[in-house]
Amino acid sequence: MVHRYERFSSSVSGINRCIQKIEGDVMEKFGLRGSYAQYLAVLRRYEQGLTVSQLSDMCMKDKAAVSRAVAEMESKDLIYRQAEGDNFYRAAIQLTDNGKKIAEYVAERATSAVEVAGRGLTESEREAFYKALDLISSNLRDICKKGLPE
């Protein structure tokens, strides 16, 4: 059982480290942080915008870290906040034209990375992998919310 844990945690950590490296390499071209890649990719799918809280949940990142990234991306003209009145707290974050261009590039590079990473998998293996990965992710989130059962 411990061997399975070590294999699982080592594989997940290795994948995460590689993703961060790839994001950093992609975003370096624009003089931006690698962590922006995921935020831009998610915002690209939601033209109506997302709040910091929604973006945090979707990216599974700390809300304070997302808030700092949003402030920096706003200062770099990648996003803007669509506030209702004077309230920017729950403002929808949307991509600027510049942000859309970079997000499109990020999406293209991410698609390439996922295709290369999945080389050698059949379509049925890929479907089974993502189904299992989604289930494991969901179960781990439940453990994080409710605690590990005794």
Side-chain angles (χ1 to χ4, degrees), residues 67-146:
S67 291
R68 287 189 298 274
V70 163
E72 193 169 340
M73 287 191 294
E74 191 171 28
S75 75
K76 294 181 181 285
D77 191 39
L78 301 177
I79 62 164
Y80 66 97
R81 299 182 207 212
Q82 189 65 39
E84 293 183 22
D86 292 338
N87 185 1
F88 277 90
Y89 178 69
R90 293 196 177 150
I93 303 160
Q94 296 174 291
L95 294 172
T96 63
D97 288 341
N98 187 40
K100 287 177 186 177
K101 288 176 192 168
I102 295 172
E104 187 62 36
Y105 178 79
V106 167
E108 290 169 9
R109 300 307 298 153
T111 297
S112 294
V114 170
E115 285 175 10
V116 172
R119 247 188 229 152
L121 291 174
T122 65
E123 196 53 41
S124 63
E125 289 171 331
R126 189 180 326 278
E127 284 181 38
F129 169 75
Y130 282 113
K131 182 178 180 179
L133 190 62
D134 288 343
L135 180 60
I136 290 168
S137 178
S138 176
N139 289 341
L140 287 171
R141 278 185 289 224
D142 282 348
I143 290 170
C144 289
K145 285 180 189 172
K146 301 172 185 171

